[in-house]
Amino acid sequence: MAQILAIDYGRARCGIAVTDDMQIIASGLDTVATKDVFLFLKKYFSENQVEQIVVGLPTDLKGNLNEVEVHILKFIEKFKSEFPAIGVDRFDERFTSKMASFFISQSGKSKKKREEKGLIDKVSATIILQNYLEQKQK
């Protein structure tokens, strides 16, 4: 079995998480500058088997899409042309940043580390992926 990789896409940074090869648990992988995300993915895919990516779907409480969705759709279009063998799925990312901040605050990390936006993005990607895995199992 191959991994599933999740991306919490942002204009400045992308949080990235992956599953183990058995697709049981999600783990935070990295935070990458958005401008460098394709370089990162090419390298990662050359070293690991990934069958699918999950990209967060940014909606508000009313279900309206966030303005970053325009950029995400462009990213997905380019991704599909560069990596046609890897499937793309979307998953609701509501509250993941708030949940990530909460989990980080409970982890005992220093205040400076807790406020690090890159860490929040990576944990958000992990939450998106773990929730995706749980829904997929149902």
Side-chain angles (χ1 to χ4, degrees):
M1 213 180 247
Q3 298 174 351
I4 299 172
L5 182 140
I7 300 174
D8 180 26
Y9 188 93
R11 288 188 200 159
R13 292 171 310 281
C14 293
I16 300 177
V18 293
T19 65
D20 57 297
D21 289 338
M22 297 298 293
Q23 299 179 4
I24 296 170
I25 191 146
S27 301
L29 181 63
D30 208 345
T31 303
V32 179
T34 299
K35 66 180 179 58
D36 299 328
V37 74
F38 278 98
L39 292 172
F40 177 88
L41 292 172
K42 283 178 190 174
K43 184 176 186 324
Y44 191 81
F45 294 160
S46 73
E47 298 168 356
N48 299 274
Q49 280 194 323
V50 176
E51 70 181 38
Q52 182 170 346
I53 68 164
V54 177
V55 182
L57 184 64
T59 55
D60 63 19
L61 289 173
K62 295 179 182 177
N64 300 316
L65 291 170
N66 187 309
E67 69 273 355
V68 77
E69 177 67 7
V70 172
H71 301 282
I72 293 172
L73 291 174
K74 289 178 185 174
F75 164 79
I76 290 171
E77 188 177 312
K78 182 176 179 183
F79 182 90
K80 286 179 176 180
S81 70
E82 293 210 19
F83 307 107
I86 299 174
V88 178
D89 208 351
R90 303 295 303 276
F91 197 79
D92 189 350
E93 66 174 51
R94 267 182 278 202
F95 304 117
T96 55
S97 292
K98 287 186 192 298
M99 289 171 31
S101 294
F102 173 77
F103 291 140
I104 292 166
S105 73
Q106 298 301 303
S107 71
K109 300 246 188 247
S110 69
K111 183 172 190 216
K112 184 175 181 174
K113 192 73 174 166
R114 287 194 313 257
E115 293 173 350
E116 188 179 298
K117 290 184 179 179
L119 179 59
I120 292 170
D121 294 335
K122 181 168 67 171
V123 173
S124 293
T126 307
I127 293 168
I128 291 166
L129 186 52
Q130 191 64 46
N131 290 342
Y132 176 81
L133 290 173
E134 289 170 8
Q135 178 140 350
K136 188 177 165 188
Q137 290 174 349
K138 290 181 182 177

